[in-house]
Amino acid sequence: MTRRTRVVTAAASALCALSLLAAVPASAGEPDLGTVGAGDPYFPLSGNPGYDVRHYDLDLDFTPANHELAAEATVSATAGERLARLGLDYSGPPVESVLVDGRPARYERSGQKLTVLPAHPIGRGAEFTVRVRYRGTPERISDAVLGDYGWLNTDDGAVALNEPDGARTWYPVNDDLRDKATYTFHLTTPNGVRALANGEPQGEPRTHGDRTTVTWEMREPMASYLSMVAIGRFTVTRDDAGGLPNITAYDPAGADDSLLHRTTAEALAWQTERFGRYPFDSTGGIIDRVGVGYALETQSRPVYDGAPDELTVVHEVAHQWFGDSVTPETWRDIWLNEGFATYVEWLWQEDHGGPTVQETFDGYYATPAGDPFWQLRTGDPGHDEIFNYDVVYVRGAMTLQALRNAVGDQDFATLLREWPRAHRHGNASTCDLLRLAEEISHRQLGPLFDAWLYTAAKPGPVA
């Protein structure tokens, strides 16, 4: 990008200060690893201090008949400080053994934490591995507000849908949005049962007796809430979409994937023109009968609970840029995921014979000022409202249209391409978006962000 002078308002500076405070863990000194996480304001127990994960190698052997999982997870990491012990997020089946760099290690479980005590402290800057063996039946998280997520058993297999903190139900993890890692999945199932995951299959399936093992690889960094496995008697379709493998699957007992397969390819081509190079090495999707009532943008291969409509596919493909490749620093900024993906739906409608984005915006803006629609803050909705459709999805998209109206079509189109390019495979905050928008437009946008994201009231018209 051409270097430009930054114009950052006082409001932008305050926003940046809030972002920095949110990233600081809640305690200093020697942490109690059972109660201290990585500092997320909405999920304070999630994540673990002291190390950075590079790669997860997950060897999962699953039997649908009794839903038993026999697994070995190897976490490869780098110590950011001297570690006499370290924490992992884990609330899965009973642990059988833990090895650190091949040596037996003591461990303790408390709540959602697995605390590992290596035989010898790990030195600052050292690379190390933690290998955990475990066996049993994983259990979903059923939350009265957030719904059902984590490891979800189905009639003929299982699907793992982790948003927001469900990865811990099926593997030990540093569940910090900022600690992205690459993944290898080795999935073993009875013959005739298919297993899929993020990324791409490696080699041919290996049959040994009455079981088959497949390996999938996600080579780009991935936040743990986007990791996924899907096991069942799927029918799988694979072809090419713009030079990338397009791999879709569906449960033949439900709807087929013909619309999913076609729309995924179309949405990928259309979005690549607008947002730049697709971030991953394959695309696709999975349709299963999960019973959760939502779709999830699991990295490179979203999962749909039943056959999706066109706009749902467009939304989940958009997340590959906005949410998967560029992931929020904390859950407070979830609007950066859902607002962008919803806005892409509006753009798609505008380009495909539907209402213009401005018409959609105007329809929502007509909501009276006293309506509950306006009574929460989009940029800080609170833990219980992170999936609030009106506040996070719709008003997030409206914020982007207000921004477009303020900076003009040309600068806004530049922003839609530059945002995923500048933060590709990384993390970013609302503060980062504000800075970039001001840099591109040479306008002071702090008051607009304050009004649309951090004020629980209907904003005035954009000047």
Side-chain angles (χ1 to χ4, degrees):
M1 181 180 67
T2 302
R3 188 173 182 83
R4 296 184 172 124
T5 302
R6 285 186 174 178
V7 182
V8 183
T9 65
S13 299
L15 207 58
C16 293
L18 286 173
S19 297
L20 290 172
L21 285 173
V24 177
S27 66
E30 183 71 12
D32 177 353
L33 298 183
T35 59
V36 174
D40 189 277
Y42 291 175
F43 294 89
L45 292 182
S46 293
N48 303 273
Y51 64 93
D52 175 57
V53 177
R54 304 187 314 276
H55 187 75
Y56 292 95
D57 191 295
L58 305 179
D59 193 337
L60 310 176
D61 188 321
F62 184 69
T63 303
N66 60 8
H67 297 132
E68 183 178 71
L69 177 67
E72 183 174 274
T74 302
V75 183
S76 300
T78 302
E81 59 191 56
R82 182 179 182 274
L83 297 173
R85 56 178 182 162
L86 61 102
L88 289 160
D89 298 288
Y90 183 67
S91 55
V95 173
E96 295 182 338
S97 66
V98 177
L99 303 177
V100 175
D101 289 334
R103 295 184 174 184
R106 293 187 295 121
Y107 60 90
E108 303 167 355
R109 295 190 66 173
S110 177
Q112 71 177 58
K113 294 294 184 179
L114 172 65
T115 303
V116 177
L117 298 94
H120 302 287
I122 301 165
R124 178 184 177 90
E127 296 183 355
F128 65 95
T129 61
V130 179
R131 182 169 298 174
V132 182
R133 294 185 66 185
Y134 50 101
R135 180 187 295 269
T137 303
E139 295 183 2
R140 70 177 62 197
I141 297 173
S142 293
D143 186 278
V145 174
L146 302 180
D148 287 356
Y149 60 100
W151 185 273
L152 304 163
N153 290 313
T154 62
D155 291 343
D156 59 356
V159 177
L161 302 176
N162 302 329
E163 190 177 24
D165 65 335
R168 59 184 166 87
T169 63
W170 57 286
Y171 67 97
V173 60
N174 188 23
D175 204 1
D176 179 353
L177 290 174
R178 298 164 297 177
D179 194 4
K180 293 187 174 186
T182 56
Y183 281 71
T184 301
F185 304 87
H186 307 282
L187 307 176
T188 300
T189 58
N191 295 341
V193 176
R194 308 294 289 266
L196 301 94
N198 310 92
E200 298 75 50
Q202 304 298 305
E204 296 297 322
R206 304 184 306 279
T207 300
H208 35 99
D210 62 352
R211 303 185 81 76
T212 298
T213 300
V214 295
T215 297
W216 293 74
E217 190 89 21
M218 172 45 71
R219 300 185 184 92
E220 290 82 22
M222 178 165 66
S224 51
Y225 83 92
L226 298 167
S227 60
M228 174 275 296
V229 298
I231 299 169
R233 297 191 177 277
F234 295 112
T235 298
V236 178
T237 304
R238 174 171 178 162
D239 63 13
D240 179 89
L244 296 171
N246 182 13
I247 305 170
T248 58
Y250 69 96
D251 182 342
D256 69 33
D257 68 345
S258 55
L259 182 146
L260 169 63
H261 198 84
R262 181 183 70 255
T263 306
T264 295
E266 293 171 353
L268 179 69
W270 179 83
Q271 293 182 33
T272 297
E273 290 182 2
R274 283 152 182 78
F275 315 134
R277 183 163 59 95
Y278 179 71
F280 307 113
D281 294 332
S282 67
T283 187
I286 298 167
I287 300 172
D288 204 356
R289 296 170 297 134
V290 189
V292 293
Y294 60 82
L296 184 61
E297 63 269 19
T298 44
Q299 189 157 303
S300 77
R301 192 151 296 106
V303 175
Y304 303 88
D305 185 13
D309 60 23
E310 181 180 76
L311 284 181
T312 300
V313 176
V314 169
H315 183 105
E316 304 307 332
V317 172
H319 272 308
Q320 305 308 305
W321 283 267
F322 306 108
D324 292 15
S325 179
V326 184
T327 304
E329 294 271 355
T330 74
W331 285 103
R332 177 184 285 146
D333 279 332
I334 189 174
W335 86 271
L336 292 172
N337 289 13
E338 303 302 347
F340 269 97
T342 302
Y343 191 82
V344 174
E345 291 183 52
W346 297 0
L347 283 175
W348 175 273
Q349 289 177 305
E350 182 175 78
D351 272 13
H352 292 78
T356 66
V357 174
Q358 187 62 46
E359 288 170 341
T360 303
F361 173 94
D362 290 343
Y364 285 113
Y365 190 75
T367 304
D371 194 276
F373 183 85
W374 303 107
Q375 292 175 10
L376 289 173
R377 296 181 296 173
T378 296
D380 188 6
H383 171 279
D384 290 353
E385 303 294 341
I386 61 173
F387 301 131
N388 184 309
Y389 182 75
D390 286 345
V391 174
V392 175
Y393 293 64
V394 174
R395 283 179 48 204
M398 293 178 73
T399 299
L400 294 173
Q401 181 62 13
L403 178 60
R404 177 181 177 179
N405 290 338
V407 305
D409 289 351
Q410 183 174 343
D411 282 348
F412 186 74
T414 299
L415 179 67
L416 288 182
R417 293 182 67 87
E418 191 61 21
W419 176 248
R421 189 209 64 79
H423 300 284
R424 187 178 179 89
H425 300 317
N427 297 83
S429 67
T430 299
C431 173
D432 295 317
L433 180 66
L434 174 56
R435 283 175 165 170
L436 182 60
E438 291 191 330
E439 184 177 83
I440 291 170
S441 68
H442 292 260
R443 294 174 182 267
Q444 295 185 353
L445 299 169
L448 182 148
F449 274 57
D450 286 342
W452 279 92
L453 296 174
Y454 298 104
T455 302
K458 182 176 182 176
V462 177

